[in-house]
Amino acid sequence: MKGNRILVLVVLILAASAVVFIGWNRYFDSQTNQSQQAEIAEGWTQYENKRFGFSFSYPDDWYLHDVENDYTLVSVSPVSPDDPRRASDIGLHTSFNTKLLQEESIEAHVQTITDNPYIEDFTSSEITLDNGAVVPFISYGSPSGAQWHESFITLSDSAILRVWFSPSEETYMQTLRSFRWRR
């Protein structure tokens, strides 16, 4: 009789453990699926660069300017490629741009900015991306009133990606925070 009670107790403990285990896994699977779904905001498109192994999301109504050359990789913008503003400085002020860093290091690039006598209001900080990575982030202004923002992502092949944009509106920051890359 005592043996049957022990057997029943063991079966109950195993059953309770199985319920907890299944519930735990379902909870975390749903959390993982939710975070993966949150990676691409509703109404956004994902750009993927297979050559350098990075991706980011941008609004569906923006235009992709895939201009890959030696340094510039891609830019996205709410300004159409047919819009004459695209070819002017105004087009640059409304674009989210990715380039390979031409200088040997982030520090060397930042030094060229801080050495420029026309740069105003330089700040340096860090930003946390949606994938949890923390990357350098700088902001600075020009006498014309333009405000520039740059971030730097070291890719798996040691290339440094320079991401820059002018408007500080939330859409541009969301685009930056959506970056993913192979580490």
Side-chain angles (χ1 to χ4, degrees):
M1 188 72 95
K2 188 173 183 179
N4 285 343
R5 280 191 224 171
I6 292 174
L7 182 61
V8 169
L9 185 58
V10 168
V11 168
L12 286 174
I13 290 172
L14 288 174
S17 298
V19 168
V20 168
F21 178 77
I22 291 168
W24 181 271
N25 284 337
R26 284 189 181 164
Y27 171 78
F28 280 105
D29 283 348
S30 72
Q31 294 300 311
T32 301
N33 289 338
Q34 286 174 4
S35 66
Q36 287 172 348
Q37 290 170 356
E39 288 176 11
I40 302 175
E42 189 174 322
W44 284 45
T45 299
Q46 185 168 17
Y47 168 80
E48 183 176 3
N49 184 300
K50 293 185 188 296
R51 179 177 170 205
F52 290 101
F54 70 89
S55 65
F56 63 89
S57 300
Y58 62 95
D60 279 348
D61 59 350
W62 281 21
Y63 300 91
L64 176 70
H65 307 278
D66 201 352
V67 292
E68 191 165 328
N69 59 38
D70 288 343
Y71 297 107
T72 302
L73 301 178
V74 66
S75 68
V76 293
S77 172
V79 177
S80 162
D82 303 327
D83 190 315
R85 296 177 299 166
R86 178 68 190 150
S88 70
D89 283 344
I90 294 171
L92 287 176
H93 288 275
T94 58
S95 296
F96 182 91
N97 306 280
T98 60
K99 302 178 95 169
L100 292 177
L101 188 66
Q102 297 176 40
E103 290 82 1
E104 291 183 25
S105 68
I106 297 168
E107 293 78 16
H109 175 73
V110 169
Q111 190 65 50
T112 62
I113 293 169
T114 57
D115 286 348
N116 184 331
Y118 299 107
I119 296 300
E120 302 172 345
D121 304 323
F122 178 87
T123 60
S124 176
S125 61
E126 294 178 329
I127 186 169
T128 302
L129 305 182
D130 291 345
N131 67 355
V134 178
V135 296
F137 184 75
I138 62 172
S139 295
Y140 52 93
S142 69
S144 68
Q147 188 70 26
W148 295 98
H149 309 282
E150 297 185 25
S151 193
F152 307 94
I153 297 168
T154 303
L155 302 174
S156 62
D157 61 358
S158 299
I160 299 172
L161 189 64
R162 175 182 167 223
V163 180
W164 60 278
F165 53 95
S166 178
S168 61
E169 62 188 64
E170 186 57 28
T171 304
Y172 290 86
M173 293 301 289
Q174 283 179 286
T175 302
L176 172 60
R177 285 193 301 266
S178 74
F179 257 84
R180 302 273 187 266
W181 68 98
R182 294 187 302 252
R183 295 191 234 183

